[in-house]
Amino acid sequence: MTAEDPDAPDDGSTTGGGAADSSDATVSRFDVPEMDCPSCAGKVESSVSTLDGVERIDPQPTTGTVAVRYDGEATDAAAIADRVREAGYTIAETGESIRLSVPDMDCASCAGKVESALSSVDGLESYETQPTTGTVVLTRRSGGPTEERIVAAIESAGYEVVDTTGTETTDAASDQDLWTSPRALKTWLSGAVLAAGLFLEFLLPGTNATVGTILGGPVHVADLLFLVAVAVGGQAILRNGYYSARNLNLDIDLLMSIAILGALTASLAFGEALYFEAATLAVLFSIAELLERYSMDRARDSLEELMDLSPEE
């Protein structure tokens, strides 16, 4: 999450709950990689818009970011982040890269003094002094020192910070492999349990013993395996469906949650034995969401590569 210039253009934004735009508003940008479709963006927007002081919300599912313009006296970035999480999405930990203009730092000795001053500031991941251009480029961890604290450290070394010439956000979790993420591991485990249940029910029916009854209906070993598959693979689906229902969004997460819970209800309450159907829904939809996330990540990487090819001026 980064705070940006409130006077920066905000094309395509949508107005959230709160007061009208003010000249002293603050803009913060949050990295929400799981927000990868218009439905997800709608849930985030609905959740954040109910917060007092929010003036404008710009969710971008193509880049997985949310820009929020708000009155700093009425709310803050932490409260907005909580609303994003309440919508069912996690905010990736990020590091903020800041470029400071220090024109008096014009030699290696001056750079050494500035580096010594910055070394005493906790929460900085890295810093680079560039005496030839009179700039300092540093990266601070999320929740790290404020910009005022960093500027004060540089000025304590005897050098004036004239301007903050730019701020950009880098994703600290960008190297995480989607296919070995916790969601993917649960999906693979759920699929393996589903396959074991199918093996017992259709290939070795003689070993698919009855282990009990529910409301007069028999429950077999394969049925227990199907229930385990739903419990493991359907966690994220039912969680997202809950947030969709709470935010009154009729989307695919809510519909799939209703389908899974409906199959389980028919099985447990009416003896229809739809455990296999519930497990299949959970596993296949979870795989579909992983594939969607993979496609979006590839599209984002392509956009970033395209932007890298663009001229700076």
Side-chain angles (χ1 to χ4, degrees):
M1 182 275 297
T2 57
E4 302 180 350
D5 182 3
D7 296 325
D10 230 346
D11 298 323
S13 301
T14 55
T15 303
D21 290 0
S22 59
S23 59
D24 57 350
T26 302
V27 176
S28 292
R29 189 176 299 273
F30 302 84
D31 187 10
V32 189
E34 295 174 352
M35 186 192 67
D36 53 13
C37 65
S39 176
C40 301
K43 285 194 283 189
V44 171
E45 183 177 347
S46 298
S47 181
V48 175
S49 63
T50 59
L51 190 64
D52 291 338
V54 172
E55 299 173 354
R56 188 174 299 166
I57 309 166
D58 184 19
Q60 296 288 340
T62 55
T63 58
T65 59
V66 180
V68 182
R69 183 186 178 100
Y70 58 94
D71 182 355
E73 296 182 356
T75 187
D76 55 21
I80 297 173
D82 289 340
R83 289 302 177 94
V84 174
R85 296 186 184 99
E86 288 178 5
Y89 299 92
T90 57
I91 297 176
E93 290 295 327
T94 59
E96 295 177 356
S97 179
I98 303 175
R99 183 181 298 270
L100 303 175
S101 178
V102 190
D104 291 338
M105 185 191 66
D106 54 7
C107 65
S109 177
C110 300
K113 294 179 184 178
V114 172
E115 290 175 1
S116 297
L118 291 175
S119 65
S120 63
V121 180
D122 295 330
L124 292 180
E125 290 185 350
S126 63
Y127 47 85
E128 176 185 5
T129 54
Q130 300 174 353
T132 55
T133 58
T135 57
V136 177
V137 180
L138 52 88
T139 302
R140 60 181 176 184
R141 290 190 294 270
S142 178
T146 62
E147 189 170 307
E148 290 77 13
R149 172 72 180 88
I150 297 171
V151 170
I154 295 176
E155 291 182 344
S156 69
Y159 299 92
E160 181 183 5
V161 178
V162 175
D163 188 23
T164 302
T165 57
T167 303
E168 57 181 333
T169 303
T170 57
D171 189 353
S174 59
D175 295 333
Q176 182 183 13
D177 188 355
L178 173 65
W179 305 115
T180 58
S181 63
R183 173 69 183 275
L185 293 178
K186 290 180 181 179
T187 301
W188 310 144
L189 178 59
S190 178
V193 175
L194 172 61
L198 289 173
F199 187 80
L200 284 179
E201 183 166 349
F202 295 103
L203 297 181
L204 294 175
T207 61
N208 190 23
T210 301
V211 295
T213 59
I214 297 180
L215 297 178
V219 178
H220 301 89
V221 175
D223 296 331
L224 291 180
L225 291 175
F226 295 146
L227 287 174
V228 171
V230 172
V232 176
Q235 289 180 9
I237 300 172
L238 296 176
R239 174 176 172 272
N240 292 336
Y242 162 74
Y243 286 114
S244 297
R246 195 172 73 172
N247 290 297
L248 302 179
N249 284 323
L250 182 62
D251 58 10
I252 187 63
D253 291 317
L254 178 59
L255 294 177
M256 292 302 298
S257 298
I258 292 174
I260 293 173
L261 293 176
L264 291 178
T265 301
S267 301
L268 298 174
F270 302 101
E272 293 295 331
L274 298 179
Y275 305 103
F276 164 68
E277 285 77 2
T280 302
L281 284 173
V283 173
L284 293 182
F285 185 66
S286 187
I287 292 175
E289 288 201 320
L290 287 174
L291 292 173
E292 180 184 36
R293 176 70 183 277
Y294 173 70
S295 299
M296 288 302 302
D297 286 346
R298 291 192 62 183
R300 290 169 182 169
D301 290 341
S302 298
L303 287 173
E304 290 178 358
E305 292 175 0
L306 183 61
M307 292 303 296
D308 289 340
L309 296 175
S310 62
E312 295 182 359
E313 296 182 0

